[in-house]
Amino acid sequence: MTLAAQIRTQINNLPEGKSFGYADLVIAKEEYQTAAKVLERLQAKSIIKKISKGVFYKPEQTIFGELKPDYNEQLRPFLFENGKRIAYETGFSLYNRMGFTTQMAFRIKIASRSKRISINRGALKADAIKSYSEVTDANYELLGFLDAIKDIKRIPDCTVRKAVKIVSSKIINLNEKQISELIKYAMLYPPRVRTLVGAILENLKIDTPLYKLKQSLNPLTKIKLGLKETDLPTIKNWNIE
C-alpha cells in the first residue's frame, strides 16, 4: 500500500470533527514531507481542513452545513506534542468547569513547563503560563486543581470560604494514591497552597503523613486568607488567618 493510500485509509477511519496531526497518522518522520503533499491534495478536495500548521480535521457535514471541530478538539493539538501531553487548560475557564465560579473567561490560559503556548485563532484565544511541573496525562488534572487553590483569593464570584468547601468536597473523594500525588505536587507550589492543602487534609482527618508539607513552611509566616475557625477548624495549626 502506498503512503497516500495509508493516509487516506487512516483519515477515513477517523470520526468527523476529529483533529489530528502527523503523529496521529502513524507514519515515520522521514515520510512527513511526502505526507504533507498528500494532505495538501486532500485539503484541495475538501476532504480535510487545516486548523493550524501541521494540524487538520475531518469536517462534519450536517443538513445545516459544515461544522468545525468542537472547542476541545480545536484545543487538543496545542496540548500535545508527538502524541504526549505537554500542557493543560487552566485559569478561570477551568475553575468555571470545576464549579468555583459561574463567570466565563474570554481568554483561556494554557500551562506548560516545556514551552510557551499562546493561541489567537478566531474564537480560540489563550495566554501562556508556566506550569509548576512537567505536564503528563497522569498529573494535569491535579495540577489544575492546585492552580485553583493557588488562585483561591482571585476566583471571581467565589469567596474563599466557598472555595474551601468545594476544595474539601473534591479532596474527600480522592483515593490514597491521588492524595499522595496531591501532596507531592503541592510541594512545588507557593506556601499558601501547601498550607491550605495541609489544613484541609488535617480537617478531613485523612490518614496520610503531613510532615513534609509542615516542614516546608516557615513557622513565622502567616497566610492571610480571611478564614475563621468556623470555616476551617485547623487554620491555627497551619498559621492561616
Side-chain angles (χ1 to χ4, degrees), residues 78-195:
F78 298 97
L79 307 183
F80 291 82
E81 192 171 80
N82 298 323
K84 292 185 177 181
R85 180 180 285 275
I86 61 164
Y88 64 96
E89 180 183 355
T90 188
F92 297 156
S93 58
L94 174 63
Y95 308 157
N96 172 279
R97 293 202 303 276
M98 294 174 72
F100 286 97
T101 179
T102 57
Q103 292 193 23
M104 303 294 291
F106 174 68
R107 296 183 70 92
I108 65 173
K109 291 183 179 180
I110 303 295
S112 177
R113 192 73 177 172
S114 56
K115 64 190 300 186
R116 290 184 57 81
I117 302 170
S118 299
I119 311 171
N120 190 10
R121 292 186 174 276
L124 189 60
K125 302 180 187 299
D127 296 318
I129 65 171
K130 193 165 187 176
S131 62
Y132 285 86
S133 169
E134 292 293 339
V135 181
T136 69
D137 256 340
N139 72 9
Y140 79 96
E141 290 180 323
L142 281 178
L143 296 179
F145 183 46
L146 289 166
D147 289 347
I149 297 174
K150 173 179 65 71
D151 293 336
I152 200 165
K153 292 180 69 175
R154 299 178 54 246
I155 300 175
D157 192 32
C158 183
T159 64
V160 174
R161 178 183 180 186
K162 175 185 173 183
V164 166
K165 287 184 177 180
I166 295 172
V167 169
S168 298
S169 69
K170 293 181 182 299
I171 287 180
I172 197 68
N173 290 316
L174 299 180
N175 60 38
E176 185 176 341
K177 181 180 178 181
Q178 289 171 323
I179 293 290
S180 177
E181 293 288 291
L182 180 70
I183 293 172
K184 180 178 82 171
Y185 290 115
M187 294 291 292
L188 304 176
Y189 278 73
R192 64 183 179 276
V193 176
R194 287 174 267 149
T195 297

